[in-house]
C-alpha cells in the first residue's frame, strides 16, 4: 500500500519549505516504504530516505534540451519514479508512451494519471507501474474521490485486476476515513497534495492516513 504525497508547486512544499517538510516526514516515517514523495523538479537536489518521484519529466536522453527534464538524468538525482500526465500537466498520448518506455529503460517506476475510466482503459495498454485516477473537478477540494466516485474506483479496480498495474486514487483526500474507503474499494494507495502540504499539522494527517492504509 502507498501514500504518495504530491508537493505540487505550493509555497508550503517547495524550496526550503520542501526541505523542512521532507526532513519532518523522514523523522516520523523515514523507514516506512509506503510513503513516497512526489517533488517539484525545482527541488530535485534534495536527498531523502523516502522514495522520490518527480512530478513531470521529458522522454529525452541527457543533451541539448534547454529547459527540459530528461528522464535519463533522473537516477542521478536519486529519483525512483516519475509521474506522467497529471491533470495540471497534461501530455499527448505519444509522449506518455515514450515517458513510460524511458522510465523503464532507466530503472524508474512510472505512474500515469488518468481523469476518467476511458483514460484508465486507454493507459492500461501502455503498462505503467501505477495508474492514478484523479477526477480533475475534485482536485484541491474537500469532497474526496472515494466519497464522490466510489463506483469508478471499483470499476477501475476490476479493469486493472491481474494486469500488473497498481491502482492509486487521488483528489480531495483529506483524512484516514477517505484512505480507508479508497482501499476498501480496491485502490492500492492514495495520491494526496493539499490535505497534507496545506495542513497546519501534516504529520498528524499523515499518521491518520497511514493508520488506515494497511500493509
Ligand atoms: O496529485 C494529487 C492531486 O492532484 C490531488 O490534489 O489537493 O486534492 O489532494 P489534492
Amino acid at each position: 500500500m502507498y501514500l504518495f504525497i504530491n508537493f505540487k508547486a505550493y509555497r508550503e512544499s517547495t524550496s526550503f519549505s520542501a526541505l523542512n517538510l521532507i526532513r519532518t516526514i523522514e523523522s516520523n516515517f523515514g523507514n516506512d516504504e509506503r510513503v513516497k514523495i512526489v517533488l517539484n523538479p525545482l527541488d530535485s537536489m534534495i536527498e531523502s530516505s523516502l522514495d522520490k518521484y518527480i512530478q513531470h519529466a521529458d522522454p529525452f536522453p541527457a543533451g541539448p534540451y534547454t529547459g527540459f527534464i530528461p528522464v535519463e538524468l533522473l537516477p542521478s538525482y536519486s529519483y525512483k519514479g516519475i509521474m506522467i500526465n497529471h491533470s495540471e500537466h497534461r501530455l499527448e498520448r505519444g509522449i506518455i508512451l515514450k515517458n513510460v518506455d524511458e522510465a523503464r529503460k532507466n530503472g524508474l517506476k512510472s505512474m500515469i494519471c488518468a481523469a476518467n475510466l476511458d483514460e484508465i482503459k486507454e493507459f492500461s495498454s501502455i503498462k505503467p507501474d501505477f495508474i492514478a485516477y484523479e477526477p480533475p473537478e475534485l482536485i484541491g477540494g474537500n469532497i474526496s474521490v472515494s466519497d464522490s466516485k466510489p463506483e469508478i474506483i471499483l470499476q477501475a479496480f476490476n479493469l486493472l485486476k491481474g494486469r500488473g498495474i497498481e491502482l492509486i486514487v487521488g483528489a480531495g483526500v483529506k483524512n484516514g476515513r477517505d484512505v480507508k474507503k479508497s482501499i476498501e474499494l480496491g485502490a492500492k494507495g492514495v495520491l494526496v497534495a493539499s490535505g497534507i502540504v496545506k495542513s497546519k499539522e501534516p504529520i498528524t494527517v499523515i499518521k491518520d492516513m497511514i493508520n488506515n492504509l494497511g500493509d
Side-chain angles (χ1 to χ4, degrees):
M1 298 296 175
Y2 309 95
L3 170 60
F4 286 92
I5 306 173
N6 184 356
F7 282 45
K8 296 204 174 182
Y10 290 117
R11 286 200 184 277
E12 293 86 342
S13 49
T14 51
S15 185
F16 289 105
S17 303
L19 184 61
N20 287 336
L21 183 56
I22 291 168
R23 295 293 173 256
T24 310
I25 297 173
E26 283 170 350
S27 63
N28 285 273
F29 310 99
N31 294 324
D32 195 326
E33 290 183 356
R34 294 171 296 177
V35 181
K36 320 275 184 201
I37 51 176
V38 187
L39 299 185
N40 188 295
L42 287 169
D43 294 314
S44 291
M45 287 297 282
I46 302 178
E47 291 290 343
S48 179
S49 58
L50 301 159
D51 280 357
K52 277 169 54 174
Y53 281 61
I54 195 163
Q55 294 168 6
H56 165 80
D58 300 295
F60 302 138
Y65 299 105
T66 305
F68 287 90
I69 304 164
V71 174
E72 191 185 77
L73 289 177
L74 298 180
S76 57
Y77 290 82
S78 313
Y79 277 111
K80 296 287 190 295
I82 63 176
M83 173 183 275
I84 302 165
N85 195 48
H86 190 279
S87 276
E88 294 154 2
H89 201 140
R90 299 275 287 176
L91 300 173
E92 285 171 13
R93 193 179 193 281
I95 303 288
I96 296 173
L97 190 62
K98 282 189 191 155
N99 259 329
V100 173
D101 274 353
E102 279 299 308
R104 206 171 284 132
K105 276 188 215 147
N106 287 284
L108 298 163
K109 300 270 188 196
S110 53
M111 172 190 285
I112 306 181
C113 298
N116 52 48
L117 203 58
D118 286 342
E119 288 192 353
I120 295 173
K121 272 189 207 146
E122 184 188 343
F123 298 149
S124 65
S125 64
I126 302 176
K127 298 230 172 288
D129 297 285
F130 305 97
I131 290 184
Y133 166 54
E134 296 201 311
E137 70 279 11
L138 300 178
I139 291 178
N142 284 319
I143 301 170
S144 74
V145 58
S146 51
D147 277 340
S148 179
K149 311 269 182 196
E151 69 295 340
I152 310 247
I153 299 179
L154 205 54
Q155 288 174 48
F157 165 71
N158 285 320
L159 192 79
L160 298 181
K161 199 162 50 183
R163 303 185 65 174
I165 303 169
E166 304 200 275
L167 174 67
I168 306 299
V169 300
V173 175
K174 289 284 182 295
N175 52 44
R177 193 191 72 88
D178 296 333
V179 172
K180 188 165 192 274
K181 195 161 175 202
S182 302
I183 301 301
E184 282 169 359
L185 290 163
K188 277 276 185 293
V190 290
L191 175 56
V192 184
S194 55
I196 293 174
V197 305
K198 302 283 282 181
S199 165
K200 291 212 160 49
E201 296 186 51
I203 296 305
T204 309
V205 176
I206 297 174
K207 275 189 185 146
D208 183 30
M209 291 185 175
I210 289 283
N211 287 340
N212 285 280
L213 199 57
D215 296 331

